[in-house]
Amino acid sequence: MDGNGRWASARGLPRGEGHRRGVEALRKTVRAAGEMGIRFLTIFSFSAENWSRPPSEIRDLMGLLRRFIRNDMAELHQNGVKVRVIGERGDLAADIRRLLEEAEELTKDNTGLTLVVAFNYGARQEIARAAARLAAQVVAGAIDPEAITADLIGQNLDAPDLPDPDLIIRTSGEQRLSNFLLWQAAYSELVFVPTYWPDFDRVALESAIAEYHRRERRFGGLIAQTGS
Ligand code: FPP
């Protein structure tokens, strides 16, 4: 969800206003994704590297997350959305950890769109956590080092039951992954759109998905599979 700050600067507004409009774009996108029958939507909402921002902006973002969970959870739950959270929770304020746990608990039996909130998330840190879990199992004698395969590493990531993303959309014109789902993105289609996140909407989502459908996916093989 990149470009909130630039969206605000271009209008002479404070960066916080860009983030607030970003939450509105998020609401619209989640609604559209659910209506379009998308099964999983992962949003990069606070990166492990975002702690380097000014304290006032970090406070703004934490406040927006709190408000999003408090104000939007009832509607999400009503619409059958299942919330999952990935990232390191240990560094978050206790009330935020509790809100995230409550959101997951409340929606755990829902069968509609799974909304994965990547919060205090970094892909390298996630892979390091998986490595540490496996190392502990080796030390405990539960597994042999030779038994560590790519699959086993995948099974020790933050949400091992979720499928790898078919499509990753980055807004704002930047063309990089910035430590987002590096392991899971091995065969994802990447679509970069110039739109700043607050202007992202259903039409932009549909257009990125149309681009995805034009791609041929080979997964390292020879036979092309059209994105489905
Ligand atoms: C990137 O724009 C966006 C973020 C770092 C934060 C995104 C967070 C929200 C939309 C709200 C909080 C989360 C939830 C789940 C409600 P940027 O600030 O990097 O923009 P710039 O690159 O133009 O400066």
Side-chain angles (χ1 to χ4, degrees), residues 113-127:
L113 171 81
T114 298
L115 175 65
V116 186
V117 180
F119 203 83
N120 194 21
Y121 176 83
R124 287 180 169 178
Q125 292 84 341
E126 180 188 31
I127 295 167

Side-chain angles (χ1 to χ4, degrees), residues 140-185:
I143 54 168
D144 283 333
E146 296 74 34
I148 297 177
T149 58
D151 272 352
L152 197 57
I153 293 174
Q155 285 163 30
N156 281 274
L157 295 173
D158 288 353
D161 53 315
L162 302 182
D164 290 344
D166 290 311
L167 166 64
I168 294 180
I169 304 168
R170 181 171 186 156
T171 55
S172 93
E174 307 296 348
Q175 301 195 5
R176 53 180 174 265
L177 283 176
S178 300
N179 207 13
F180 182 59
L181 297 181
L182 297 182
W183 183 275
Q184 299 88 334

Side-chain angles (χ1 to χ4, degrees), residues 73-86:
M73 214 35 65
E75 184 191 328
L76 292 174
H77 185 41
Q78 218 164 35
N79 292 338
V81 173
K82 181 195 276 203
V83 175
R84 297 283 300 274
V85 181
I86 56 173

Side-chain angles (χ1 to χ4, degrees), residues 1-6 15 19 23 45 50 53 61 65 68:
M1 302 190 285
D2 199 12
N4 294 345
R6 278 165 286 168
R15 291 178 59 82
H19 294 314
V23 177
S45 24
N50 283 154
R53 296 195 174 195
L61 290 168
L65 176 72
F68 178 70

Side-chain angles (χ1 to χ4, degrees), residues 67-114:
R67 254 172 282 153
F68 178 70
I69 295 192
R70 288 196 190 116
N71 300 341
D72 290 59
M73 214 35 65
E75 184 191 328
L76 292 174
H77 185 41
Q78 218 164 35
N79 292 338
V81 173
K82 181 195 276 203
V83 175
R84 297 283 300 274
V85 181
I86 56 173
E88 175 57 61
R89 300 190 203 192
D91 307 333
L92 299 173
D95 72 303
I96 291 193
R97 284 208 303 270
R98 209 167 38 245
L99 283 171
L100 295 174
E101 278 158 23
E102 283 168 9
E104 285 185 308
E105 180 58 30
L106 173 72
T107 62
K108 70 177 185 324
D109 296 324
N110 289 346
T111 55
L113 171 81
T114 298

Side-chain angles (χ1 to χ4, degrees), residues 207-225:
S207 142
I209 291 172
E211 166 66 28
Y212 166 81
H213 283 299
R214 287 192 287 273
R215 304 273 177 90
E216 282 182 354
R217 308 186 75 194
R218 288 194 292 275
F219 299 96
L222 294 176
I223 302 164
Q225 294 175 31

